[in-house]
Amino acid sequence: MEVIFLGTGTSQGIPIIGSKHPVCLSENPKDKRLRVSVLVKWEGYNILIDCGPDFRMQMLANPVESLDAILYTHEHNDHTAGLDDIRPFFFRQGDIPIFAHKRVLESLRKRFEYIFTSTNKYPGAPGVIEHEIVNEAFYFKDLKITPIDFKHNRLQVFGFRLKDFAYLTDLKSIEEKEVQKLDGVKVLVITALRIEPHHSHLNLEEALEFIARVKPEKAYLTHISHLLGFHDEVQQKLPENVYVAYDNLKIHI
Ligand SMILES: [Zn+2]
């Protein structure tokens, strides 16, 4: 399994438009962050987790020729706004399977009504096959996918475990029984928004505590704000098995 970090930034991305913050002005490519998403490559299939506003640029940067499934963590715009841009995949492949919580599917149906309508569909609109998921393991082909249920402030969000890889973004609080689903995971990706506490994301200190609890072989920080600091400086202060993720980073699990 290969995982490509397509985007590792928080909702505004880095740089923030018009910002003069030193991290936003950094010329290090590792400090430039599109909105969060990962691509999981497994047995020749491309499985996307979240499809945000930078989806098109992410597909061009990597480059991705086919898309086999989209898993959604939650409905916030930085995770969903790119749905219209699946069109090139739809034109080549037909309807694209999407997997999401019932509430997230309802939100997508409202916001992308022209994609989900069954009557009088606009020519050129993409098509999707909806799969509603609950907090129980499900399968894409032979791949077992285990949702991990947690809270982003008060909003329910799903993380996903795929074999030895787990991806938990936009996490603030989680019950012990959900943490137990991460037992034995080798690679953990976790939100670490910034240094200061935040109402809906783990900050760096909380993310490091969470990693110490789960004890993966390696952990990667994502959903990063410019307020976390420069990539290279933050990286130097982290434990040996913890890495600040950056856009286009590829890892093998
Ligand atoms: Zn987010």
Side-chain angles (χ1 to χ4, degrees):
M1 182 181 282
E2 182 184 38
V3 173
I4 306 175
F5 288 86
L6 299 172
T8 57
T10 189
S11 57
Q12 295 184 81
I14 307 178
I16 290 176
I17 295 171
S19 170
K20 299 278 191 289
H21 188 281
V23 173
C24 291
L25 298 177
S26 168
E27 286 176 14
N28 184 349
K30 291 180 180 173
D31 288 322
K32 298 189 189 303
R33 302 181 184 278
L34 299 177
R35 268 62 70 88
V36 280
S37 176
V38 288
L39 187 77
V40 179
K41 296 177 90 71
W42 168 79
E43 304 270 324
Y45 295 107
N46 288 327
I47 303 164
L48 181 74
I49 305 184
D50 286 332
C51 184
D54 298 316
F55 172 73
R56 177 175 175 272
M57 295 311 294
Q58 292 164 335
M59 294 298 99
L60 294 173
N62 279 287
V64 182
E65 287 171 9
S66 65
L67 182 61
D68 300 292
I70 305 174
L71 314 181
Y72 283 103
T73 59
H74 65 301
E75 63 270 45
H76 282 169
N77 219 47
D78 52 325
H79 300 257
T80 56
L83 184 56
D84 189 74
D85 280 325
I86 66 169
R87 288 194 303 152
F89 297 111
F90 166 72
F91 293 147
R92 289 197 291 264
Q93 300 169 224
D95 293 347
I96 306 293
I98 64 171
F99 296 79
H101 187 285
K102 184 178 183 212
R103 186 197 71 244
V104 176
L105 291 173
E106 281 167 4
S107 171
L108 292 173
R109 278 187 219 120
K110 267 190 222 151
R111 289 154 62 201
F112 297 93
E113 184 269 337
Y114 65 98
I115 291 177
F116 290 83
T117 185
S118 54
T119 55
N120 202 17
K121 198 171 169 193
Y122 184 76
V128 296
I129 303 165
E130 295 172 61
H131 296 273
E132 182 183 318
I133 55 175
V134 295
N135 191 17
E136 282 170 18
F138 60 96
Y139 283 83
F140 168 76
K141 310 292 178 187
D142 288 338
L143 178 65
K144 184 181 177 187
I145 302 175
T146 306
I148 317 288
D149 188 89
F150 51 82
K151 289 274 164 56
H152 177 40
N153 193 359
R154 279 173 295 181
L155 183 72
Q156 181 277 342
V157 174
F158 278 142
F160 298 104
R161 177 172 184 170
L162 297 82
K163 292 180 177 276
D164 293 327
F165 169 72
Y167 183 79
L168 279 64
T169 188
D170 297 63
L171 182 155
K172 180 64 183 180
S173 59
I174 182 167
E175 290 179 21
E176 178 57 32
K177 69 177 177 42
E178 297 298 313
V179 179
Q180 283 172 12
K181 292 180 182 175
L182 300 169
D183 274 359
V185 81
K186 288 185 182 158
V187 174
L188 172 70
V189 179
I190 183 81
T191 290
L193 184 77
R194 63 186 192 187
I195 306 296
E196 294 296 313
H198 187 268
H199 67 279
S200 62
H201 289 275
L202 300 182
N203 67 355
L204 178 60
E205 189 183 346
E206 292 165 331
L208 292 176
E209 281 169 16
F210 187 78
I211 293 164
R213 241 170 110 189
V214 174
K215 299 186 182 63
E217 287 177 11
K218 289 181 180 178
Y220 292 84
L221 310 179
T222 194
H223 212 297
I224 289 166
S225 152
H226 63 297
L227 299 173
L228 186 70
F230 294 102
H231 170 279
D232 294 355
E233 288 183 9
V234 178
Q235 183 60 58
Q236 281 179 10
K237 295 175 191 154
L238 295 179
E240 227 175 36
N241 64 332
V242 182
Y243 303 88
V244 185
Y246 51 87
D247 290 16
N248 306 317
L249 169 64
K250 294 181 178 65
I251 56 174
H252 292 270
I253 300 142

